[in-house]
Amino acid sequence: MNSLKYRDISMMEEAGGCLLCHHAPCAAACPYGLEPDRFIRSIRFENAEGAAQHLPDILPCLACEDKPCVKACIKEKLGRPVPVDELMLALSNEEKLRPENVDLSIEFCGVRCENPFLLSSSVVASNYEMVAQAFEMGWAGAAFKTIGTFVANEVSPRFDALRKEALPFVGFKNIEQISEHPLEENVAFLKQLKRDYPSKVIIASIMGQNEEEWTYLARRMEEADADIIECNFSCPHMAANGLGSDVGQNPELVAAYTRAVRRGTGLPVLAKMTPNIGNMELPAMAAIEAGATGIAAINTIKSVMNVNLATFSSGPDVDGRTSVGGYSGKAVKPIALRFIQAMKSCEPLKGIPISGMGGIETWRDAAEFLALGCGTIQVTTAVMQYGYRIIDDMIDGMKHYLGTFGYKRVGEIVGKALPVIIPADDLNRESICYPRFDRDKCVGCGRCYISCRDGGHQALRQDARTGKPIMDGNKCVGCHLCVTVCPAGAVTQGKRVPKRDIVNIEQGL
């Protein structure tokens, strides 16, 4: 690792290169049984502080000269091995706190959840064995893959990813449809899951083709011992009339089908919303007025991805053709949060339970959804990429965060971010928050200068000798583009100055 100044950046970069192996060779090679792969995964999933609490007081890596973990790393086949020993030593420098125990349980739609982390309705929750494995690993519940009266005839392939630089993918497209299992088989899965895991939350996602089917499916899900029913009004690639996002864009259809579901069950009902609409509040209100208990949001976003410039087909390529499909993954999180905030700011929906989803990979992502008013969160794409095991750091990271800030229960942060999101016209426009440049951290790369020159307000120049930036306070508008692009963490938020007091400010390094 580099010096302490860049420890966090270096840790994330090196951990980001880890292949996150199953049965990791580095763990098998460790003579001290430390499971370094588990700790590296925690760094990757923003839980370094939490993971540090589980390290032994005296780290045996300090006395390990042979470094068998590094020698065993198969990343070397792709270039160079992950510096496992250095990552462990860097992690040991994290402050060891012992926050008090935190209660992660939460009540959602009248149903107790042992924690707020659920699988969302998709391939990750599509049969008994998969969901049972997830429950064993710590997930509180699962929205089972959408059940209908028909069996989907799927295409191949049906997944593709949007990549950026060294990232495996930042966005994900799928054109998969509803469950490939017959209705009776799905009902049997649900019954067995509830019998074997009575404390876990079973959400039965359904999709009907007309009102009679919605009523029938709701009745069958209650008979299957589901805890909650989720109405899939939002799948972006179910193209038949009366299915998928075509329903979710039509408040009248949403209301009609919600009433049909309510006729078939007394269980809590969630209406799953499509983001392929400008104003999600309208179908959400229609669902609540028609008898829904809560909302699930967001489903995937209609997308076209990865046009092949040799063949002009796009992904996923199905025999030279494709279709519009659902976009998910980390990149959609800000869009999902915006829809959640809009619904929670809408007077008729303020007190309505929301199960949030869209781009959640870490405990921090989940906490953002909770802070914007969600009672539970749902995950698919991150599980497809990394496996059910991400629940370890979701639970541990959330507990560590809550305990560190003095919260006793996870419910205490629900909605806490809503009051500070205000209309743009009400923001403070009478002052400028200047960036602060850290002389010691700056490496003189010039990234801030280039971005300010070509995409900002030409408020920076580069010192000819050191390469470090010098700011012209008369040109700087405090946009913080330099803060976002600095690779060394050397530019941070600085002092806020009333515009009337700004006279010939110059700050240099």
Side-chain angles (χ1 to χ4, degrees):
M1 293 293 104
N2 289 323
S3 67
L4 289 176
K5 287 185 296 187
Y6 309 111
R7 185 187 66 198
D8 291 346
I9 294 172
S10 297
M11 285 173 62
M12 285 300 293
E13 286 181 351
E14 296 292 358
C18 178
L19 302 181
L20 301 179
C21 303
H22 181 51
H23 297 315
C26 63
C30 178
Y32 307 103
L34 281 184
E35 297 185 337
D37 62 316
R38 174 69 182 82
F39 290 99
I40 293 173
R41 197 163 71 241
S42 293
I43 297 171
R44 183 83 163 261
F45 291 104
E46 302 185 274
N47 186 33
E49 292 181 1
Q53 314 311 309
H54 304 295
L55 285 174
D57 292 333
I58 300 176
L59 191 66
C61 307
L62 291 166
C64 184
E65 296 181 358
D66 292 338
K67 303 187 185 344
C69 56
V70 179
K71 294 176 180 178
C73 179
I74 62 174
K75 176 74 182 305
E76 186 174 23
K77 296 178 180 179
L78 303 179
R80 65 184 181 89
V82 174
V84 180
D85 59 323
E86 294 180 21
L87 281 169
M88 295 295 286
L89 290 171
L91 195 61
S92 70
N93 288 319
E94 294 285 344
E95 185 178 3
K96 284 201 171 185
L97 303 171
R98 301 293 181 189
E100 293 184 26
N101 197 29
V102 174
D103 182 7
L104 290 188
S105 67
I106 195 164
E107 186 174 289
F108 182 73
C109 294
V111 178
R112 182 187 181 277
C113 305
E114 65 186 63
N115 62 57
F117 306 118
L118 314 173
L119 298 175
S120 53
S121 175
S122 65
V123 65
V124 305
S126 56
N127 61 44
Y128 173 86
E129 289 77 14
M130 296 177 78
V131 177
Q133 181 185 355
F135 287 170
E136 293 285 349
M137 296 179 77
W139 293 88
F144 205 78
K145 188 171 184 184
T146 301
I147 298 169
T149 57
F150 62 95
V151 175
N153 182 20
E154 292 289 5
V155 298
S156 173
R158 44 190 181 265
F159 302 136
D160 202 357
L162 182 67
R163 293 167 175 81
K164 184 181 187 298
E165 297 166 354
L167 297 175
F169 57 78
V170 294
F172 185 77
K173 179 185 173 184
N174 88 88
I175 52 174
E176 192 164 78
Q177 299 191 335
I178 69 170
S179 176
E180 297 177 273
H181 300 287
L183 173 60
E184 298 305 323
E185 189 174 355
N186 282 319
V187 167
F189 288 152
L190 297 182
K191 285 186 174 181
Q192 187 177 356
L193 283 167
K194 197 61 187 177
R195 181 171 63 248
D196 294 347
Y197 300 94
S199 66
K200 301 291 186 176
V201 179
I202 307 295
I203 301 175
S205 174
I206 60 173
M207 182 185 290
Q209 299 175 90
N210 51 52
E211 290 188 34
E212 290 72 23
E213 279 196 10
W214 284 101
T215 301
Y216 172 71
L217 287 168
R219 184 179 302 117
R220 293 301 309 274
M221 297 308 104
E222 183 166 344
E223 292 169 355
D225 298 325
D227 297 294
I228 297 172
I229 291 175
E230 183 178 273
C231 302
N232 187 347
F233 295 146
S234 48
C235 180
H237 35 269
M238 296 293 291
N241 290 333
L243 295 174
S245 61
D246 287 348
V247 175
Q249 295 168 344
N250 185 326
E252 289 76 22
L253 269 181
V254 168
Y257 289 160
T258 302
R259 283 192 291 269
V261 169
R262 184 49 74 202
R263 288 195 291 271
T265 184
L267 293 175
V269 172
L270 300 178
K272 190 169 184 178
M273 296 287 104
T274 177
N276 302 297
I277 190 172
N279 189 335
M280 191 177 286
E281 301 95 292
L282 296 178
M285 286 189 291
I288 297 301
E289 290 168 2
T293 315
I295 299 297
I298 62 171
N299 208 326
T300 53
I301 301 168
K302 286 187 175 182
S303 64
V304 173
M305 180 184 288
N306 296 338
V307 176
N308 184 319
L309 297 181
T311 65
F312 298 102
S313 63
S314 56
D317 185 324
V318 182
D319 195 23
R321 301 287 189 273
T322 193
S323 66
V324 170
Y327 187 61
S328 60
K330 191 83 166 184
V332 311
K333 186 179 77 168
I335 300 169
L337 291 174
R338 194 280 291 184
F339 278 115
I340 300 296
Q341 184 270 336
M343 287 189 288
K344 277 295 180 179
S345 300
C346 176
E347 195 62 40
L349 298 174
K350 281 185 176 179
I352 301 302
I354 296 180
S355 188
M357 69 200 83
I360 299 169
E361 289 186 356
T362 71
W363 69 266
R364 187 181 297 274
D365 298 327
E368 291 183 38
F369 277 80
L370 296 175
L372 282 168
C374 294
T376 59
I377 63 94
Q378 299 185 26
V379 183
T380 280
T381 306
V383 170
M384 295 178 75
Q385 187 171 7
Y386 302 113
Y388 298 125
R389 59 187 176 172
I390 63 173
I391 190 63
D392 295 339
D393 288 300
M394 284 188 163
I395 291 174
D396 190 57
M398 185 69 78
K399 283 184 174 180
H400 183 75
Y401 156 71
L402 293 170
T404 300
F405 281 85
Y407 297 109
K408 306 296 184 186
R409 297 177 296 104
V410 69
E412 293 179 53
I413 68 167
V414 173
K416 286 188 75 70
L418 290 169
V420 294
I421 301 176
I422 61 177
D425 288 346
D426 294 341
L427 293 170
N428 179 354
R429 297 178 179 275
E430 303 305 320
S431 63
I432 291 178
C433 180
Y434 286 101
R436 178 182 178 276
F437 298 90
D438 187 318
R439 175 181 287 103
D440 293 330
K441 270 192 170 183
C442 178
V443 296
C445 67
R447 284 286 302 278
C448 59
Y449 164 72
I450 292 171
S451 291
C452 185
R453 183 195 67 187
D454 299 350
H457 293 79
Q458 303 78 52
L460 296 179
R461 57 187 175 88
Q462 245 185 320
D463 184 279
R465 183 178 59 85
T466 65
K468 297 182 179 184
I470 298 172
M471 188 187 85
D472 182 346
N474 293 309
K475 289 184 176 180
C476 180
V477 299
C479 68
H480 287 203
L481 177 60
C482 55
V483 177
T484 66
V485 301
C486 178
V491 193
T492 56
Q493 181 171 305
K495 184 178 180 182
R496 180 172 291 279
V497 180
K499 289 181 178 179
R500 65 177 181 272
D501 295 340
I502 298 172
V503 181
N504 297 322
I505 296 174
E506 186 170 273
Q507 178 183 346
L509 284 177

